[in-house]
Coordinates of all heavy atoms in Angstrom, one line a residue:
M1 N 85.0 138.4 75.8 CA 85.8 137.2 75.8 C 86.4 137.0 77.2 O 86.5 135.9 77.7 CB 86.9 137.3 74.8 CG 87.8 136.1 74.7 SD 86.8 134.7 74.1 CE 88.0 133.5 73.9
N2 N 86.7 138.1 77.9 CA 87.3 138.0 79.2 C 86.3 137.4 80.2 O 86.6 136.7 81.2 CB 87.8 139.3 79.7 CG 89.1 139.7 79.1 OD1 89.8 138.8 78.6 ND2 89.5 140.9 79.1
K3 N 85.0 137.7 80.0 CA 83.9 137.2 80.9 C 83.9 135.7 80.8 O 83.6 135.0 81.8 CB 82.6 137.8 80.6 CG 82.5 139.3 80.9 CD 81.1 139.9 80.6 CE 81.1 141.3 80.9 NZ 79.8 141.9 80.5
I4 N 84.0 135.2 79.6 CA 84.0 133.7 79.4 C 85.2 133.0 80.0 O 85.0 132.0 80.7 CB 83.9 133.4 77.9 CG1 82.6 133.9 77.3 CG2 84.0 131.9 77.7 CD1 82.5 133.8 75.8
L5 N 86.3 133.6 79.9 CA 87.5 133.1 80.5 C 87.5 133.2 82.0 O 87.9 132.2 82.7 CB 88.8 133.8 80.0 CG 89.2 133.6 78.5 CD1 90.3 134.5 78.2 CD2 89.5 132.1 78.3
F6 N 86.9 134.3 82.5 CA 86.8 134.4 84.0 C 85.8 133.4 84.5 O 86.0 132.8 85.6 CB 86.2 135.8 84.2 CG 86.1 136.1 85.7 CD1 87.2 136.3 86.5 CD2 84.9 136.2 86.3 CE1 87.1 136.6 87.8 CE2 84.8 136.5 87.7 CZ 85.9 136.7 88.4
F7 N 84.7 133.1 83.8 CA 83.8 132.1 84.2 C 84.4 130.7 84.2 O 84.3 129.9 85.2 CB 82.6 132.0 83.2 CG 81.7 130.9 83.4 CD1 80.8 130.9 84.5 CD2 81.7 129.8 82.6 CE1 80.0 129.8 84.7 CE2 80.9 128.7 82.8 CZ 80.0 128.7 83.9
F8 N 85.2 130.4 83.2 CA 85.8 129.0 83.2 C 86.9 128.9 84.2 O 87.1 127.8 84.8 CB 86.4 128.7 81.8 CG 85.3 128.3 80.8 CD1 84.9 129.0 79.7 CD2 84.6 127.1 81.1 CE1 83.9 128.6 78.9 CE2 83.6 126.7 80.3 CZ 83.2 127.4 79.1
C9 N 87.6 130.0 84.5 CA 88.6 130.0 85.6 C 87.9 129.7 87.0 O 88.4 128.9 87.8 CB 89.4 131.3 85.7 SG 90.5 131.5 84.3
N10 N 86.8 130.3 87.2 CA 86.1 130.1 88.4 C 85.5 128.6 88.4 O 85.4 128.0 89.5 CB 85.0 131.1 88.6 CG 85.5 132.4 88.9 OD1 86.6 132.6 89.6 ND2 84.8 133.5 88.5
L11 N 85.1 128.2 87.3 CA 84.5 126.8 87.1 C 85.6 125.8 87.5 O 85.4 124.8 88.2 CB 84.0 126.6 85.8 CG 83.4 125.2 85.5 CD1 82.1 125.1 86.4 CD2 83.0 125.0 84.0
I12 N 86.9 126.0 87.0 CA 88.0 125.1 87.4 C 88.2 125.1 88.9 O 88.4 124.0 89.5 CB 89.3 125.6 86.7 CG1 89.1 125.3 85.2 CG2 90.5 124.9 87.2 CD1 90.3 125.9 84.3
A13 N 88.1 126.3 89.5 CA 88.3 126.3 91.0 C 87.2 125.6 91.7 O 87.4 124.8 92.7 CB 88.4 127.8 91.5
V14 N 85.9 125.7 91.2 CA 84.8 125.0 91.8 C 84.9 123.5 91.6 O 84.6 122.7 92.5 CB 83.5 125.6 91.3 CG1 82.3 124.7 91.7 CG2 83.2 127.0 91.7
I15 N 85.4 123.1 90.5 CA 85.6 121.7 90.3 C 86.7 121.1 91.2 O 86.5 120.0 91.8 CB 86.0 121.4 88.8 CG1 84.8 121.6 87.9 CG2 86.6 120.0 88.6 CD1 85.2 121.6 86.4
G16 N 87.7 121.9 91.5 CA 88.7 121.5 92.4 C 88.2 121.3 93.9 O 88.4 120.4 94.6
V17 N 87.3 122.3 94.3 CA 86.7 122.2 95.6 C 85.8 121.0 95.6 O 85.7 120.3 96.6 CB 85.9 123.5 95.9 CG1 85.1 123.4 97.1 CG2 86.9 124.7 96.0
S18 N 85.0 120.8 94.6 CA 84.1 119.6 94.6 C 84.8 118.3 94.6 O 84.4 117.3 95.3 CB 83.1 119.6 93.4 OG 83.8 119.5 92.2
I19 N 86.0 118.2 94.0 CA 86.8 117.0 94.1 C 87.3 116.8 95.5 O 87.2 115.6 96.1 CB 88.0 117.1 93.1 CG1 87.5 116.9 91.7 CG2 89.0 115.9 93.4 CD1 88.6 117.2 90.7
L20 N 87.8 117.8 96.2 CA 88.2 117.7 97.6 C 87.0 117.3 98.5 O 87.1 116.4 99.4 CB 88.8 119.0 98.1 CG 90.1 119.4 97.6 CD1 90.5 120.8 98.1 CD2 91.2 118.4 98.0
F21 N 85.8 117.9 98.2 CA 84.7 117.5 99.0 C 84.3 116.0 98.8 O 84.0 115.3 99.8 CB 83.5 118.5 98.6 CG 82.3 118.3 99.3 CD1 82.2 118.7 100.7 CD2 81.1 117.8 98.8 CE1 81.0 118.5 101.4 CE2 79.9 117.6 99.5 CZ 79.9 118.0 100.8
T22 N 84.3 115.6 97.6 CA 83.9 114.2 97.2 C 84.9 113.2 97.9 O 84.5 112.2 98.4 CB 83.9 114.0 95.7 OG1 83.0 115.0 95.2 CG2 83.4 112.6 95.4
T23 N 86.2 113.5 97.8 CA 87.1 112.5 98.4 C 87.1 112.5 99.9 O 87.2 111.4 100.5 CB 88.6 112.9 97.9 OG1 88.9 114.2 98.3 CG2 88.8 112.7 96.4
S24 N 86.8 113.6 100.5 CA 86.6 113.6 102.0 C 85.4 112.8 102.4 O 85.4 112.1 103.4 CB 86.6 115.0 102.5 OG 85.5 115.7 102.1
I25 N 84.3 113.0 101.6 CA 83.1 112.2 101.9 C 83.3 110.7 101.8 O 82.9 109.9 102.6 CB 81.9 112.7 101.0 CG1 81.4 114.0 101.5 CG2 80.8 111.6 101.0 CD1 80.3 114.6 100.7
L26 N 84.0 110.3 100.7 CA 84.3 108.9 100.5 C 85.2 108.3 101.6 O 84.9 107.2 102.0 CB 85.1 108.7 99.2 CG 84.2 108.8 97.9 CD1 85.0 108.7 96.7 CD2 83.2 107.7 97.9
N27 N 86.1 109.1 102.1 CA 86.9 108.6 103.2 C 86.1 108.5 104.5 O 86.5 107.7 105.4 CB 88.1 109.5 103.4 CG 89.3 109.1 102.6 OD1 89.4 107.9 102.2 ND2 90.2 110.0 102.3
K28 N 85.1 109.3 104.7 CA 84.2 109.1 105.9 C 83.2 108.0 105.7 O 82.9 107.3 106.7 CB 83.5 110.4 106.2 CG 84.4 111.6 106.4 CD 85.0 111.5 107.7 CE 85.9 112.8 108.0 NZ 86.7 112.6 109.2
V29 N 82.7 107.8 104.5 CA 81.6 106.8 104.3 C 82.0 105.4 104.1 O 81.4 104.5 104.6 CB 80.7 107.3 103.1 CG1 79.7 106.2 102.7 CG2 80.0 108.6 103.5
M30 N 83.2 105.2 103.5 CA 83.6 103.9 103.2 C 83.9 103.0 104.4 O 83.5 101.8 104.4 CB 84.8 103.9 102.2 CG 84.5 104.4 100.8 SD 83.2 103.5 100.0 CE 84.0 101.9 99.7
P31 N 84.5 103.5 105.5 CA 84.6 102.6 106.7 C 83.2 102.2 107.2 O 83.1 101.1 107.7 CB 85.4 103.5 107.7 CG 86.2 104.4 106.8 CD 85.3 104.7 105.6
M32 N 82.2 103.1 107.2 CA 80.9 102.7 107.6 C 80.3 101.6 106.8 O 79.6 100.7 107.3 CB 80.0 103.9 107.7 CG 80.4 104.9 108.8 SD 79.2 106.2 108.9 CE 79.9 107.4 107.8
L33 N 80.5 101.7 105.4 CA 79.9 100.7 104.5 C 80.7 99.4 104.7 O 80.1 98.3 104.6 CB 80.1 101.2 103.1 CG 79.1 102.3 102.7 CD1 79.4 102.7 101.2 CD2 77.7 101.9 102.8
G34 N 82.0 99.5 105.0 CA 82.7 98.3 105.2 C 82.3 97.6 106.5 O 82.2 96.3 106.6
F35 N 81.9 98.3 107.5 CA 81.5 97.7 108.8 C 80.1 97.1 108.6 O 79.8 96.0 109.1 CB 81.4 98.8 109.9 CG 80.9 98.3 111.2 CD1 81.8 97.4 111.9 CD2 79.7 98.6 111.7 CE1 81.4 96.9 113.1 CE2 79.3 98.1 113.0 CZ 80.2 97.2 113.7
A36 N 79.2 97.7 107.8 CA 77.9 97.1 107.5 C 78.1 95.8 106.7 O 77.4 94.8 106.9 CB 77.1 98.1 106.7
A37 N 79.0 95.8 105.7 CA 79.3 94.5 105.0 C 79.9 93.5 105.9 O 79.6 92.3 105.7 CB 80.2 94.8 103.8
Y38 N 80.7 93.9 106.8 CA 81.3 92.9 107.7 C 80.2 92.3 108.6 O 80.2 91.1 108.9 CB 82.4 93.6 108.6 CG 82.7 92.8 109.8 CD1 83.5 91.7 109.7 CD2 82.4 93.2 111.1 CE1 83.9 90.9 110.8 CE2 82.7 92.5 112.2 CZ 83.5 91.3 112.1 OH 83.8 90.6 113.2
Q39 N 79.3 93.1 109.1 CA 78.2 92.6 109.9 C 77.3 91.7 109.1 O 76.8 90.7 109.6 CB 77.4 93.7 110.5 CG 78.1 94.4 111.7 CD 77.3 95.5 112.3 OE1 76.4 96.1 111.7 NE2 77.5 95.8 113.6
A40 N 77.0 92.0 107.9 CA 76.2 91.2 107.0 C 76.8 89.9 106.7 O 76.1 88.8 106.7 CB 75.8 91.9 105.7
A41 N 78.1 89.8 106.4 CA 78.8 88.6 106.1 C 79.2 87.8 107.3 O 79.3 86.6 107.2 CB 80.0 88.9 105.2
A42 N 79.5 88.5 108.4 CA 79.9 87.8 109.6 C 81.1 86.9 109.4 O 81.2 85.8 109.9 CB 78.7 87.1 110.3
A43 N 82.0 87.4 108.6 CA 83.2 86.6 108.3 C 84.4 87.5 108.4 O 84.4 88.7 108.0 CB 83.1 85.9 107.0
G44 N 85.6 87.0 108.8 CA 86.8 87.7 108.8 C 86.8 88.7 109.9 O 86.1 88.7 110.9
G45 N 87.7 89.7 109.8 CA 87.9 90.7 110.8 C 87.7 92.1 110.2 O 87.9 92.3 109.0
Y46 N 87.2 93.0 111.0 CA 87.0 94.3 110.5 C 88.0 95.3 111.1 O 88.3 95.3 112.3 CB 85.6 94.8 111.0 CG 85.3 96.3 110.7 CD1 85.1 96.7 109.4 CD2 85.3 97.2 111.7 CE1 84.9 98.0 109.1 CE2 85.1 98.5 111.5 CZ 84.9 99.0 110.2 OH 84.7 100.3 109.9
S47 N 88.5 96.2 110.3 CA 89.4 97.2 110.7 C 89.1 98.5 109.8 O 89.1 98.4 108.6 CB 90.9 96.8 110.5 OG 91.7 97.9 110.7
P48 N 88.8 99.6 110.5 CA 88.4 100.8 109.7 C 89.5 101.2 108.8 O 89.3 101.8 107.7 CB 88.1 101.8 110.7 CG 87.9 101.1 112.0 CD 88.6 99.8 111.9
S49 N 90.8 101.0 109.1 CA 91.9 101.4 108.3 C 91.9 100.7 107.0 O 92.6 101.1 106.0 CB 93.2 101.3 109.0 OG 93.4 99.9 109.3
D50 N 91.3 99.5 106.9 CA 91.3 98.8 105.6 C 90.4 99.4 104.6 O 90.5 99.2 103.4 CB 90.7 97.3 105.9 CG 91.7 96.5 106.7 OD1 92.9 96.8 106.8 OD2 91.2 95.5 107.3
Y51 N 89.5 100.3 105.0 CA 88.6 100.9 104.1 C 88.9 102.4 103.8 O 88.1 103.0 103.1 CB 87.1 100.8 104.7 CG 86.7 99.4 104.7 CD1 86.8 98.6 105.9 CD2 86.2 98.7 103.6 CE1 86.4 97.3 106.0 CE2 85.8 97.4 103.6 CZ 85.9 96.7 104.8 OH 85.6 95.4 104.9
V52 N 89.9 102.9 104.4 CA 90.3 104.3 104.1 C 91.2 104.3 102.8 O 92.2 103.6 102.7 CB 91.1 104.9 105.3 CG1 91.6 106.3 104.9 CG2 90.2 105.0 106.5
M53 N 90.8 105.1 101.8 CA 91.4 105.1 100.6 C 92.5 106.2 100.5 O 92.4 107.2 101.2 CB 90.4 105.3 99.4 CG 89.5 104.2 99.3 SD 88.1 104.5 98.2 CE 87.0 105.3 99.3
N54 N 93.5 106.0 99.7 CA 94.6 107.0 99.5 C 94.3 107.9 98.3 O 94.3 107.5 97.2 CB 95.9 106.2 99.3 CG 97.0 107.2 99.3 OD1 96.9 108.4 99.5 ND2 98.2 106.6 99.0
F55 N 93.9 109.2 98.7 CA 93.6 110.2 97.6 C 94.6 111.3 97.6 O 94.3 112.4 97.2 CB 92.2 110.8 97.9 CG 91.0 109.9 97.7 CD1 90.2 109.6 98.7 CD2 90.8 109.3 96.4 CE1 89.1 108.7 98.5 CE2 89.7 108.5 96.2 CZ 88.9 108.2 97.3
I56 N 95.9 111.0 97.9 CA 96.8 112.1 97.9 C 97.1 112.7 96.5 O 97.0 113.9 96.4 CB 98.2 111.5 98.5 CG1 98.0 111.2 99.9 CG2 99.3 112.5 98.3 CD1 99.3 110.5 100.6
V57 N 97.2 111.9 95.5 CA 97.5 112.4 94.2 C 96.2 113.2 93.7 O 96.4 114.3 93.1 CB 97.8 111.3 93.2 CG1 98.0 111.8 91.8 CG2 99.1 110.6 93.6
I58 N 95.0 112.7 93.9 CA 93.8 113.3 93.5 C 93.6 114.6 94.2 O 93.2 115.6 93.6 CB 92.6 112.4 93.6 CG1 92.8 111.2 92.8 CG2 91.3 113.1 93.4 CD1 91.7 110.1 93.0
N59 N 93.9 114.6 95.5 CA 93.8 115.9 96.3 C 94.8 116.9 95.9 O 94.5 118.1 95.8 CB 93.9 115.6 97.8 CG 92.6 114.9 98.3 OD1 91.6 114.9 97.7 ND2 92.8 114.3 99.5
L60 N 96.0 116.5 95.6 CA 97.0 117.5 95.1 C 96.6 118.1 93.8 O 96.8 119.2 93.5 CB 98.4 116.8 95.0 CG 99.1 116.5 96.3 CD1 100.4 115.7 96.0 CD2 99.4 117.7 97.1
F61 N 96.0 117.2 92.9 CA 95.5 117.7 91.6 C 94.4 118.7 91.8 O 94.3 119.7 91.1 CB 95.1 116.5 90.7 CG 94.5 116.9 89.4 CD1 95.4 117.4 88.4 CD2 93.2 116.8 89.1 CE1 94.9 117.8 87.2 CE2 92.7 117.2 87.9 CZ 93.5 117.7 86.9
A62 N 93.5 118.4 92.8 CA 92.4 119.3 93.1 C 92.9 120.7 93.6 O 92.4 121.7 93.2 CB 91.4 118.7 94.1
I63 N 93.9 120.6 94.5 CA 94.5 121.8 95.0 C 95.1 122.6 93.9 O 95.0 123.9 93.9 CB 95.4 121.5 96.2 CG1 94.7 121.0 97.4 CG2 96.3 122.7 96.6 CD1 95.5 120.4 98.5
L64 N 95.8 121.9 93.0 CA 96.4 122.6 91.8 C 95.3 123.3 91.0 O 95.5 124.4 90.5 CB 97.2 121.6 91.0 CG 98.0 122.1 89.9 CD1 99.1 123.0 90.4 CD2 98.5 121.0 89.0
L65 N 94.2 122.6 90.8 CA 93.1 123.2 90.0 C 92.6 124.5 90.7 O 92.3 125.5 90.0 CB 92.0 122.2 89.8 CG 92.1 121.1 88.8 CD1 90.9 120.2 88.8 CD2 92.2 121.7 87.4
I66 N 92.5 124.4 92.0 CA 92.0 125.6 92.7 C 92.9 126.7 92.6 O 92.5 127.9 92.3 CB 91.7 125.2 94.2 CG1 90.6 124.2 94.3 CG2 91.4 126.4 95.0 CD1 90.5 123.6 95.7
I67 N 94.2 126.5 92.8 CA 95.2 127.6 92.7 C 95.3 128.1 91.3 O 95.3 129.4 91.1 CB 96.6 127.0 93.1 CG1 96.6 126.7 94.6 CG2 97.7 128.0 92.8 CD1 97.8 126.0 95.1
I68 N 95.3 127.3 90.3 CA 95.3 127.8 88.9 C 94.1 128.6 88.6 O 94.2 129.7 88.0 CB 95.5 126.6 87.9 CG1 96.9 126.0 88.0 CG2 95.2 127.0 86.5 CD1 97.1 124.8 87.2
G69 N 92.9 128.1 89.0 CA 91.7 128.8 88.7 C 91.6 130.2 89.4 O 91.2 131.1 88.8
V70 N 92.0 130.2 90.6 CA 92.0 131.5 91.4 C 93.0 132.5 90.8 O 92.6 133.7 90.6 CB 92.2 131.2 92.9 CG1 92.4 132.5 93.6 CG2 91.0 130.5 93.5
V71 N 94.2 132.0 90.5 CA 95.2 133.0 90.1 C 94.9 133.5 88.7 O 95.0 134.7 88.4 CB 96.6 132.3 90.1 CG1 97.6 133.1 89.3 CG2 97.1 132.0 91.5
A72 N 94.5 132.6 87.8 CA 94.1 133.0 86.4 C 92.9 133.9 86.5 O 92.8 134.9 85.7 CB 93.8 131.8 85.5
G73 N 91.9 133.6 87.3 CA 90.7 134.4 87.4 C 91.0 135.8 87.9 O 90.5 136.8 87.4
Y74 N 91.9 135.9 88.9 CA 92.4 137.2 89.4 C 93.1 138.0 88.4 O 92.8 139.2 88.2 CB 93.3 137.0 90.6 CG 93.8 138.3 91.2 CD1 92.9 139.0 92.0 CD2 95.1 138.7 91.0 CE1 93.4 140.2 92.5 CE2 95.6 139.8 91.5 CZ 94.7 140.7 92.3 OH 95.2 141.8 92.8
K75 N 93.9 137.3 87.6 CA 94.7 138.1 86.5 C 93.7 138.6 85.4 O 93.8 139.7 84.9 CB 95.7 137.2 85.9 CG 96.9 137.0 86.8 CD 98.0 136.2 86.1 CE 99.2 136.1 87.0 NZ 100.4 135.4 86.4
I76 N 92.7 137.7 85.1 CA 91.7 138.1 84.1 C 90.9 139.3 84.6 O 90.6 140.2 83.9 CB 90.9 137.0 83.6 CG1 91.7 136.0 82.9 CG2 89.7 137.4 82.8 CD1 91.1 134.6 82.5
Y77 N 90.5 139.2 85.9 CA 89.7 140.3 86.5 C 90.5 141.6 86.5 O 89.9 142.7 86.2 CB 89.3 139.9 87.9 CG 88.5 140.9 88.6 CD1 87.2 141.1 88.3 CD2 89.1 141.7 89.7 CE1 86.4 142.0 89.0 CE2 88.3 142.6 90.3 CZ 87.0 142.8 90.0 OH 86.3 143.7 90.7
K78 N 91.8 141.5 86.9 CA 92.6 142.8 87.0 C 92.8 143.3 85.6 O 92.9 144.5 85.4 CB 93.9 142.5 87.7 CG 93.8 142.5 89.2 CD 93.3 143.8 89.7 CE 93.8 144.0 91.1 NZ 93.3 145.3 91.6
K79 N 92.9 142.5 84.6 CA 93.2 142.9 83.2 C 91.9 143.6 82.7 O 92.0 144.5 81.9 CB 93.5 141.7 82.4 CG 94.0 142.0 81.0 CD 94.4 140.8 80.3 CE 95.0 141.0 78.9 NZ 95.4 139.8 78.2
G80 N 90.8 143.1 83.1 CA 89.5 143.7 82.6 C 89.2 145.1 83.2 O 88.4 145.8 82.7
L81 N 89.8 145.4 84.3 CA 89.5 146.7 85.0 C 90.2 147.8 84.3 O 90.5 148.4 83.7 CB 89.9 146.7 86.4 CG 89.1 145.8 87.4 CD1 89.7 146.0 88.8 CD2 87.7 146.3 87.4

């Protein structure tokens, strides 16, 4: 049973890392897509800051998932020894 719990704790940490990775990619890619849309439409003004999204709450949740996963996994690992 401890192996299953250890696996899921590590899975939670990996999900947190993947959320951080995804949000950072979105913040890098969206200004480029906005610039391409601006060039295609040729209307209005372009500012890269208009396309940067606010992921503070999502990133905090991801960091919390990583911390919980690592701490719980460590406790389960130590308990199994």
